Amino acid sequence: MLTTDFKKRRETLNDMIAKGIAIIPSAELVTKSNDTEFPFRQNSNFKYLTGYPEHDAILVLTTYPEKKQILFVRERDPFMEMWTGRIIGPERALEMTEVDETYPINEFEKRIGDYLVGHESLYMDMFDNTDLFMNVRKVCQGLFKKKRTKETAPPLNFFHLNPFIEKMRLIKDQTEVQFMKLAMEATNKAHRAAMAFAAPGKTEKQVEALMQYIFNKDRSEGNAYDNIVAGGDNANILHYIENNQELNDGDLLLIDAGSELNLYATDITRTFPINGTFTGMQKEVYSIVLEAQKASLAKSKIGSSLKTIHEQSCRVLAQGLIDLKVLDQTLEQALETQSFREFYPHGTGHWLGLDVHDQNPYQTDEFEETKFEQGVIFTVEPGLYFPKSNAKIPSELRGIGVRIEDNILITDKGYENLSSMIPKEIKDVELACKEDYRDFIL
Ligand SMILES: [Mn+2]
């Protein structure tokens, strides 16, 4: 059993907001259309601090007159539970989360004034959840208009809370790493199954459905983001999620898909030949991207940064574009003018965790690049994209799009590639294409 010490996390945050009160709401249900809603997705910061899975919940951390953790949650309601599912309720929420007090969510407005007074500062998300902030501000305003004492005055300093939590989330603890490793097992199987299954005449949608099935059946809880299953030229649309075309003989298939477990994301891209064998030109492009990725991985260690690994990939990709006669420049010119960006328009890595683009700081408080520390997790995903419509490039290249993406944990010894078991070398990918996909769905 993997258990997370949510109480400890709240205590850590509570220590950071000296003389302050923090208010952290859950996510809310979002309307899909008319009276139907999107599947509920918990707010990652709220999840990180409570583990509580429901909407209509608010966490309050006080420091005056004492440090206290209070959670407001939905009340149990047999009628509602019959229609829309079980509700945990304040009583069980107290046991589950180990906060100091729980109350029904409809008591929030009545009680929040009592918690606010005596605090110098209010810490909330200042940019989202505007309604809640406006309500709390109104309560503060009411308290401010009254005759005040030190004990009855509301906070007058308002701070943006998110960076404090996101700094904590940057360094993953052992439990978080384990969740991501478990999610990676399903991601590995799904990518292998896709390599084995894909063939001319099959469709992108079929491949997506197969992977989705494995994500759902294999302990993981589904996909961490909209899967990209892009055959041939579709790979050159970076966020292609229609996944509704037929797969063609001689094309590559680019798949960017990862499962999630307990809301922890994996984010993996592989590109492989639909008929199982790379053409000469596909091999050349693939080898450049793979070399770029390896150059970035070589710099993945404590003290390095996402900027550094990006520069490593850019250098190899730019040289590759020169070798492919796409760019008619020296390497220094290509890097100077950034001409390679036409064929590599995205970054090489992003933080990964509870969010697929994890909300961790990319800069320090001093506006410097965040340096890698033990426990950070990020992606390394160089690519090259040659749209069919680009008449300026050699014709053999047109319609080829390649990206290779792994998930990397920084350790005391260097790095651990969490996705190293998913085939990536050309010979391993071609072998994986020859497997029987049914071996992965049992
Ligand atoms: Mn990614």
Side-chain angles (χ1 to χ4, degrees), residues 215-264:
F215 287 166
N216 285 313
K217 94 173 179 58
D218 232 55
R219 189 156 31 180
S220 114
E221 288 153 4
N223 48 314
Y225 53 95
D226 288 330
N227 303 320
I228 297 169
V229 182
D233 196 36
N234 295 334
N236 296 311
I237 303 166
L238 297 178
H239 290 161
Y240 174 80
I241 53 169
E242 285 85 359
N243 306 344
N244 58 6
Q245 301 292 305
E246 196 169 294
L247 302 177
N248 298 314
D249 198 9
D251 279 352
L252 293 173
L253 179 58
L254 181 153
I255 298 179
D256 186 340
S259 76
E260 72 174 15
L261 180 67
N262 194 25
L263 300 193
Y264 282 90

Coordinates of all heavy atoms in Angstrom, one line a residue, residues 215-264:
F215 N -4.8 1.1 -20.7 CA -4.7 2.1 -19.6 C -5.7 1.8 -18.6 O -5.5 1.9 -17.4 CB -4.9 3.5 -20.2 CG -3.8 4.1 -21.0 CD1 -3.9 5.2 -21.8 CD2 -2.5 3.5 -21.0 CE1 -2.9 5.7 -22.5 CE2 -1.5 4.0 -21.7 CZ -1.7 5.1 -22.5
N216 N -6.9 1.5 -19.0 CA -8.0 1.4 -18.1 C -8.0 0.1 -17.3 O -8.3 0.0 -16.2 CB -9.4 1.5 -18.8 CG -9.7 2.9 -19.2 OD1 -9.5 3.8 -18.3 ND2 -10.0 3.2 -20.4
K217 N -7.5 -1.0 -18.0 CA -7.6 -2.3 -17.3 C -6.4 -2.5 -16.4 O -6.5 -3.3 -15.4 CB -7.6 -3.4 -18.4 CG -6.3 -4.0 -18.7 CD -6.3 -5.2 -19.6 CE -4.9 -5.7 -20.0 NZ -4.1 -6.1 -18.8
D218 N -5.3 -1.8 -16.6 CA -4.1 -2.2 -16.0 C -3.8 -1.3 -14.8 O -2.8 -0.5 -14.8 CB -2.9 -2.0 -17.0 CG -2.1 -3.3 -17.0 OD1 -2.7 -4.3 -17.2 OD2 -0.9 -3.2 -16.8
R219 N -4.6 -1.3 -13.8 CA -4.4 -0.6 -12.5 C -4.4 0.9 -12.7 O -4.9 1.6 -11.9 CB -3.1 -1.0 -11.9 CG -3.0 -0.4 -10.5 CD -2.1 -1.1 -9.5 NE -0.9 -1.8 -10.1 CZ -0.1 -2.5 -9.3 NH1 -0.2 -2.5 -8.0 NH2 1.0 -3.1 -9.8
S220 N -3.9 1.4 -13.9 CA -3.9 2.8 -14.1 C -5.4 3.2 -14.3 O -6.3 2.5 -14.4 CB -3.1 3.1 -15.4 OG -4.0 3.6 -16.4
E221 N -5.6 4.5 -14.2 CA -7.0 5.0 -14.2 C -7.3 5.8 -15.4 O -8.1 6.7 -15.4 CB -7.1 5.9 -12.9 CG -7.2 5.1 -11.7 CD -6.7 5.8 -10.4 OE1 -6.4 7.0 -10.5 OE2 -6.7 5.1 -9.4
G222 N -6.7 5.4 -16.6 CA -7.0 6.1 -17.8 C -5.9 6.9 -18.3 O -4.7 6.7 -17.9
N223 N -6.2 7.8 -19.3 CA -5.1 8.5 -19.9 C -4.9 9.8 -19.2 O -5.8 10.5 -18.8 CB -5.4 8.8 -21.4 CG -6.8 9.3 -21.6 OD1 -7.8 8.7 -21.1 ND2 -6.9 10.3 -22.4
A224 N -3.6 10.3 -19.1 CA -3.3 11.5 -18.4 C -3.6 12.7 -19.2 O -3.7 13.8 -18.7 CB -1.8 11.5 -18.1
Y225 N -3.8 12.6 -20.5 CA -4.1 13.7 -21.4 C -4.7 13.1 -22.7 O -4.7 11.9 -22.8 CB -2.9 14.5 -21.7 CG -1.7 13.7 -22.2 CD1 -1.4 13.6 -23.6 CD2 -0.9 13.0 -21.3 CE1 -0.4 12.8 -24.0 CE2 0.2 12.2 -21.8 CZ 0.4 12.2 -23.1 OH 1.5 11.4 -23.6
D226 N -5.1 14.0 -23.6 CA -5.7 13.5 -24.9 C -4.6 12.8 -25.7 O -3.6 13.5 -26.0 CB -6.3 14.6 -25.7 CG -7.6 15.1 -25.0 OD1 -8.3 14.3 -24.4 OD2 -7.9 16.3 -25.2
N227 N -4.8 11.5 -26.0 CA -3.8 10.8 -26.7 C -3.6 11.4 -28.1 O -4.6 11.7 -28.8 CB -4.2 9.3 -26.9 CG -4.4 8.7 -25.5 OD1 -3.7 8.9 -24.6 ND2 -5.5 7.9 -25.4
I228 N -2.4 11.4 -28.6 CA -2.1 11.8 -30.0 C -1.7 10.5 -30.7 O -0.7 9.9 -30.3 CB -1.0 12.8 -30.0 CG1 -1.4 14.1 -29.3 CG2 -0.5 13.1 -31.5 CD1 -0.2 15.1 -29.1
V229 N -2.5 10.1 -31.7 CA -2.2 8.9 -32.5 C -2.2 9.4 -33.9 O -3.2 9.6 -34.6 CB -3.2 7.8 -32.3 CG1 -2.8 6.6 -33.1 CG2 -3.3 7.4 -30.8
A230 N -1.0 9.8 -34.4 CA -0.9 10.5 -35.7 C -0.1 9.8 -36.7 O 1.1 9.7 -36.7 CB -0.2 11.9 -35.4
G231 N -0.8 9.3 -37.7 CA -0.2 8.6 -38.8 C 0.3 9.6 -39.9 O -0.3 10.6 -40.2
G232 N 1.5 9.2 -40.5 CA 2.1 10.0 -41.6 C 2.2 11.5 -41.3 O 2.7 11.9 -40.2
D233 N 1.6 12.3 -42.2 CA 1.7 13.8 -42.1 C 1.0 14.3 -40.9 O 1.3 15.5 -40.5 CB 1.1 14.3 -43.4 CG 1.5 15.8 -43.6 OD1 2.7 16.1 -43.3 OD2 0.7 16.6 -44.1
N234 N 0.1 13.6 -40.3 CA -0.6 14.1 -39.1 C 0.4 14.3 -37.9 O 0.1 15.1 -37.0 CB -1.7 13.1 -38.6 CG -2.8 13.0 -39.7 OD1 -3.0 13.9 -40.4 ND2 -3.5 11.8 -39.7
A235 N 1.5 13.6 -38.0 CA 2.5 13.8 -36.9 C 3.0 15.3 -36.9 O 3.6 15.7 -35.9 CB 3.6 12.8 -37.1
N236 N 2.8 16.0 -38.0 CA 3.4 17.3 -38.1 C 2.4 18.3 -37.6 O 2.6 19.5 -37.6 CB 3.7 17.6 -39.6 CG 4.8 16.7 -40.1 OD1 5.8 16.6 -39.4 ND2 4.6 16.1 -41.2
I237 N 1.2 17.9 -37.1 CA 0.3 18.7 -36.3 C 0.6 18.4 -34.8 O 0.3 17.3 -34.4 CB -1.2 18.4 -36.7 CG1 -1.4 18.6 -38.2 CG2 -2.1 19.3 -35.8 CD1 -2.7 18.0 -38.7
L238 N 1.2 19.3 -34.1 CA 1.8 18.9 -32.8 C 0.7 18.4 -31.8 O 1.0 17.5 -31.1 CB 2.5 20.1 -32.2 CG 3.7 20.6 -33.1 CD1 4.4 21.8 -32.5 CD2 4.7 19.4 -33.2
H239 N -0.5 19.0 -31.8 CA -1.5 18.6 -30.9 C -2.7 17.9 -31.6 O -3.8 18.2 -31.4 CB -2.0 19.7 -30.0 CG -0.9 20.1 -29.0 ND1 -1.0 21.3 -28.4 CD2 0.2 19.5 -28.5 CE1 0.1 21.4 -27.5 NE2 0.8 20.3 -27.6
Y240 N -2.3 17.0 -32.5 CA -3.3 16.3 -33.3 C -4.0 15.3 -32.4 O -3.4 14.4 -31.9 CB -2.6 15.6 -34.5 CG -3.5 14.6 -35.3 CD1 -4.3 15.2 -36.3 CD2 -3.5 13.3 -35.1 CE1 -5.1 14.3 -37.1 CE2 -4.3 12.4 -35.8 CZ -5.1 13.0 -36.8 OH -5.9 12.2 -37.6
I241 N -5.3 15.5 -32.2 CA -6.1 14.6 -31.3 C -7.3 14.0 -32.0 O -8.1 13.3 -31.3 CB -6.4 15.2 -29.9 CG1 -7.2 16.5 -30.1 CG2 -5.2 15.4 -29.1 CD1 -7.8 17.0 -28.9
E242 N -7.5 14.4 -33.3 CA -8.7 13.8 -33.9 C -8.6 12.3 -34.1 O -9.6 11.6 -33.9 CB -8.9 14.4 -35.3 CG -9.4 15.8 -35.4 CD -8.3 16.9 -35.2 OE1 -7.1 16.5 -35.0 OE2 -8.5 18.1 -35.2
N243 N -7.4 11.8 -34.4 CA -7.1 10.4 -34.4 C -8.2 9.6 -35.3 O -8.7 8.6 -34.8 CB -7.1 9.8 -33.0 CG -6.1 10.5 -32.1 OD1 -5.2 11.2 -32.6 ND2 -6.2 10.3 -30.8
N244 N -8.5 10.1 -36.4 CA -9.6 9.5 -37.2 C -9.3 9.2 -38.6 O -10.1 9.0 -39.5 CB -10.9 10.5 -37.2 CG -10.5 11.8 -37.8 OD1 -9.4 12.0 -38.3 ND2 -11.5 12.8 -37.7
Q245 N -8.0 9.0 -38.9 CA -7.5 8.6 -40.2 C -7.1 7.2 -40.3 O -6.8 6.6 -39.3 CB -6.4 9.5 -40.7 CG -6.7 11.0 -40.6 CD -7.7 11.4 -41.7 OE1 -7.5 11.2 -42.9 NE2 -8.8 12.0 -41.3
E246 N -7.0 6.7 -41.6 CA -6.6 5.3 -41.8 C -5.0 5.4 -41.8 O -4.4 6.4 -42.1 CB -7.1 4.8 -43.1 CG -7.0 3.3 -43.3 CD -7.7 2.8 -44.5 OE1 -9.0 2.9 -44.5 OE2 -7.1 2.4 -45.5
L247 N -4.4 4.2 -41.4 CA -2.9 4.1 -41.4 C -2.5 3.6 -42.8 O -3.0 2.6 -43.3 CB -2.5 3.2 -40.3 CG -2.9 3.6 -38.9 CD1 -2.5 2.5 -37.9 CD2 -2.4 4.9 -38.5
N248 N -1.4 4.3 -43.3 CA -1.0 3.9 -44.6 C 0.4 3.2 -44.6 O 1.3 3.6 -43.9 CB -0.9 5.2 -45.5 CG -2.2 5.9 -45.6 OD1 -3.2 5.2 -45.9 ND2 -2.3 7.2 -45.4
D249 N 0.5 2.3 -45.6 CA 1.7 1.6 -45.7 C 2.8 2.5 -46.1 O 2.7 3.5 -46.9 CB 1.5 0.6 -46.9 CG 2.6 -0.5 -46.9 OD1 3.3 -0.6 -46.0 OD2 2.6 -1.3 -47.9
G250 N 4.0 2.4 -45.4 CA 5.1 3.2 -45.7 C 5.2 4.5 -44.9 O 6.2 5.2 -44.9
D251 N 4.1 4.8 -44.1 CA 4.1 5.9 -43.2 C 4.6 5.6 -41.8 O 4.6 4.4 -41.4 CB 2.7 6.5 -43.0 CG 2.3 7.4 -44.2 OD1 3.1 7.7 -45.1 OD2 1.1 7.8 -44.3
L252 N 5.0 6.6 -41.1 CA 5.3 6.4 -39.7 C 4.0 6.7 -38.9 O 3.1 7.3 -39.3 CB 6.4 7.4 -39.2 CG 7.8 7.2 -39.8 CD1 8.7 8.4 -39.4 CD2 8.4 5.9 -39.3
L253 N 4.0 6.2 -37.6 CA 2.9 6.5 -36.7 C 3.5 7.1 -35.5 O 4.4 6.5 -34.8 CB 2.1 5.2 -36.4 CG 1.0 5.4 -35.4 CD1 -0.1 6.4 -35.9 CD2 0.3 4.1 -35.1
L254 N 3.2 8.3 -35.2 CA 3.7 9.0 -33.9 C 2.6 8.9 -32.9 O 1.4 9.3 -33.1 CB 4.0 10.4 -34.2 CG 4.5 11.3 -33.1 CD1 5.4 12.4 -33.6 CD2 3.5 11.9 -32.2
I255 N 2.9 8.3 -31.7 CA 2.0 8.2 -30.6 C 2.5 8.9 -29.4 O 3.6 8.6 -28.9 CB 1.7 6.7 -30.3 CG1 1.0 6.0 -31.5 CG2 0.7 6.6 -29.1 CD1 0.7 4.6 -31.3
D256 N 1.8 9.9 -28.9 CA 2.1 10.6 -27.7 C 0.9 10.3 -26.7 O -0.1 10.9 -26.8 CB 2.2 12.1 -28.0 CG 2.7 12.9 -26.8 OD1 2.6 12.4 -25.6 OD2 3.1 14.1 -27.0
A257 N 1.2 9.3 -25.8 CA 0.1 8.9 -24.9 C 0.7 8.3 -23.7 O 1.7 7.7 -23.7 CB -0.7 7.8 -25.6
G258 N 0.0 8.6 -22.5 CA 0.5 8.2 -21.2 C -0.7 7.9 -20.3 O -1.7 8.6 -20.4
S259 N -0.5 6.9 -19.5 CA -1.6 6.6 -18.5 C -1.3 7.4 -17.3 O -0.3 8.0 -17.1 CB -1.6 5.1 -18.2 OG -0.6 4.8 -17.3
E260 N -2.4 7.5 -16.4 CA -2.2 8.1 -15.1 C -2.7 7.2 -14.0 O -3.5 6.4 -14.2 CB -2.9 9.5 -15.1 CG -4.4 9.4 -15.0 CD -5.0 10.8 -14.8 OE1 -4.4 11.8 -14.9 OE2 -6.2 10.8 -14.4
L261 N -2.1 7.4 -12.9 CA -2.5 6.6 -11.7 C -2.5 7.5 -10.5 O -1.5 8.2 -10.2 CB -1.4 5.5 -11.4 CG -1.8 4.6 -10.2 CD1 -3.0 3.8 -10.5 CD2 -0.6 3.7 -9.9
N262 N -3.7 7.5 -9.8 CA -3.8 8.4 -8.7 C -3.6 9.9 -9.1 O -3.0 10.6 -8.3 CB -2.9 7.9 -7.5 CG -3.3 8.6 -6.2 OD1 -4.4 9.0 -6.0 ND2 -2.3 8.7 -5.4
L263 N -3.9 10.2 -10.3 CA -3.7 11.5 -10.9 C -2.2 11.8 -11.3 O -1.9 12.9 -11.8 CB -4.3 12.6 -10.1 CG -5.8 12.6 -9.8 CD1 -6.2 14.0 -9.2 CD2 -6.6 12.3 -11.0
Y264 N -1.3 10.9 -11.1 CA 0.1 11.1 -11.5 C 0.2 10.7 -13.0 O -0.2 9.6 -13.3 CB 1.0 10.3 -10.6 CG 1.2 11.1 -9.3 CD1 0.4 10.8 -8.2 CD2 2.2 12.1 -9.2 CE1 0.5 11.6 -7.0 CE2 2.3 12.8 -8.0 CZ 1.5 12.6 -7.0 OH 1.6 13.3 -5.8

